[in-house]
Amino acid sequence: MSIQAQPGTWRLSRLWRGVGTALGFIAFGLCALIIGWLLAPPIRLASRHPHSAQRRVRRLVRLACHGLIKALRRLGVIDVRVDHSERLDMPGRLLLANHPSLIDALFLLASVPDACCIVKGQLAANPILRRVILAAGYITTCEPRTVIGAARRVLATGQPLLVFPEGTRSLPGRPVRLQRGAGAIALASGAWITPVRIRCAPTTLTKGEAWYRVPPSRPCFHIEIGAPLAPLAGVDASRQTARDLTRRLEDYFNSPPWEEGLTDDHRAGTRTQALDHRHPGTGRRHAG
């Protein structure tokens, strides 16, 4: 009897997760509209400085993302595990994350106080998202030549900056390939880097996958906050240096699951001696 009931239970679970996913997208759109069109304008009028208004809007975005994730977990749509979440609560860090799923940004925006982020230009043109993106002061790629300068100014003021250096969502089963823009930002700003590795099993909401293609079982997002990487102080911010940094970050993202930091081989080379997984100012490695 129990064996015969399993297929029906499985189909019901999958149907429920499909309904929950649809509700999540609807809630996301409503939150974006409410924050961008209803709450942001009076916040901007009541604030004395543009950055003050942006911080208040980002606080609302963080609360909305936190609420959405909590609702999706309670509905049984997803499960989430975060390792070393305390490493996200550090100002002025460049957060570099891989991008396996459409909703990756929600997890990080919900966890990082006052986080700015770089978003694709097409999102900035989206009628649902554009007002909240503008009100929060997020950097868009509409003008690619201005991105590095804008990112450097954000980091210089102590704001954390979230970047998905792949530029688009990962393809399941393929190695992570990073664009050099994130490395150029790291070199130009001299900021500490916090690598964030995200894995999802089974995969869901991947590139080119329709939202209603619900996986056979509940997907679990495992988010590993890597140990901070020291700034590359005193090196030539050339294209070759950016390529070297990008390659070593790719090695980290593609390394076996849940290794702690970069290996000595990854840190080898005179140009990347400072790429060191240690507690700032102590010289001690993080414990796993």
Side-chain angles (χ1 to χ4, degrees), residues 84 87 260 279 284-288:
H84 304 296
R87 293 172 179 169
E260 174 63 25
H279 289 283
R284 292 181 286 106
R285 292 183 186 274
H286 286 273

Side-chain angles (χ1 to χ4, degrees), residues 115-147:
C116 186
C117 63
I118 297 179
V119 300
K120 293 198 298 185
Q122 65 188 59
L123 291 179
N126 185 295
I128 295 176
L129 299 177
R130 63 184 181 187
R131 292 291 294 268
V132 69
I133 289 172
L134 178 64
Y138 294 154
I139 300 169
T140 71
T141 58
C142 296
E143 296 291 338
R145 294 182 180 181
T146 67
V147 170

Side-chain angles (χ1 to χ4, degrees), residues 188-199:
S189 64
W192 283 79
I193 300 172
T194 298
V196 180
R197 187 160 50 178
I198 304 172
R199 293 191 174 146

Side-chain angles (χ1 to χ4, degrees), residues 75-223:
L75 289 171
V77 176
I78 61 171
D79 198 4
V80 184
R81 171 185 167 187
V82 182
D83 293 339
H84 304 296
S85 60
E86 72 281 357
R87 293 172 179 169
L88 293 174
D89 195 13
M90 297 180 180
R93 295 297 172 93
L94 178 60
L95 306 172
L96 302 182
N98 64 312
H99 196 12
S101 175
L102 182 63
I103 60 175
D104 300 326
L106 294 184
F107 301 116
L108 297 176
L109 290 175
S111 303
V112 183
D114 196 29
C116 186
C117 63
I118 297 179
V119 300
K120 293 198 298 185
Q122 65 188 59
L123 291 179
N126 185 295
I128 295 176
L129 299 177
R130 63 184 181 187
R131 292 291 294 268
V132 69
I133 289 172
L134 178 64
Y138 294 154
I139 300 169
T140 71
T141 58
C142 296
E143 296 291 338
R145 294 182 180 181
T146 67
V147 170
I148 293 178
R152 183 169 57 182
R153 289 190 293 272
V154 164
L155 291 165
T157 60
Q159 303 170 62
L161 178 64
L162 171 61
V163 180
F164 292 102
E166 293 171 276
T168 186
R169 276 174 281 172
S170 315
L171 291 174
R174 296 190 184 182
V176 172
R177 290 290 178 259
L178 308 183
Q179 298 181 7
R180 291 199 300 270
I185 292 172
L187 293 170
S189 64
W192 283 79
I193 300 172
T194 298
V196 180
R197 187 160 50 178
I198 304 172
R199 293 191 174 146
C200 179
T203 59
T204 185
L205 299 175
T206 57
K207 187 175 182 179
E209 182 181 29
W211 67 266
Y212 51 82
R213 298 288 185 186
V214 180
S217 60
R218 180 170 54 183
C220 178
F221 288 84
H222 192 170
I223 304 171

